[in-house]
Amino acid sequence: MKIKLDGISAGYATFAAAEGLAPGVPVTLTANRTAGAAAAAARFAGVAKEVRQGLALVQLSGICRLSVSGTAPGVGYASLVADGSGGVRTASTGETGRELLVTAVETVGEDTVAEVLL
């Protein structure tokens, strides 16, 4: 039996999309009701799932997969921040990260991907 956690507590909201926002990228609110790509070290609000016609569907809760840079977090709770390149990284001392439950960490080709509960 293959274990799948997709769909657990999934919650989405639609925002206006800031210029250049792409699917799969951690987002912050950049203006009223507007989601944009999270800057490096930002505590991100969610993840852009779809972007089209000036709108962004943002996942705010539930299981999602995020690209990881730097040292990968272990499974369990980890403090994560945006890496400024479309993924996340483990928060450094003094940074305010988002405490998330990491349910799996995998290597896909040369990339590291973490499955997290937002």
Side-chain angles (χ1 to χ4, degrees):
M1 171 196 261
K2 184 172 181 179
I3 297 172
K4 298 235 355 137
L5 301 177
D6 298 347
I8 293 175
S9 300
Y12 300 87
T14 301
F15 294 91
E19 188 70 30
L21 182 61
V25 172
V27 302
T28 57
L29 297 183
T30 58
N32 289 343
R33 298 180 191 96
T34 303
R43 186 170 186 227
F44 58 99
V47 179
K49 297 308 274 185
E50 289 187 37
V51 180
R52 61 180 157 180
Q53 298 177 349
L55 298 174
L57 178 65
V58 177
Q59 184 174 359
L60 299 172
S61 61
I63 294 286
C64 71
R65 295 171 58 81
L66 297 166
S67 174
V68 177
S69 63
T71 304
V75 295
Y77 283 95
S79 182
L80 302 176
V81 294
D83 66 8
S85 298
V88 297
R89 64 173 174 78
T90 302
S92 299
T93 303
E95 292 178 330
T96 303
R98 188 165 173 189
E99 195 76 13
L100 300 173
L101 179 60
V102 178
T103 58
V105 178
E106 303 167 339
T107 301
V108 179
E110 295 182 17
D111 299 323
T112 301
V113 176
E115 180 183 78
V116 302
L117 177 60
L118 295 173

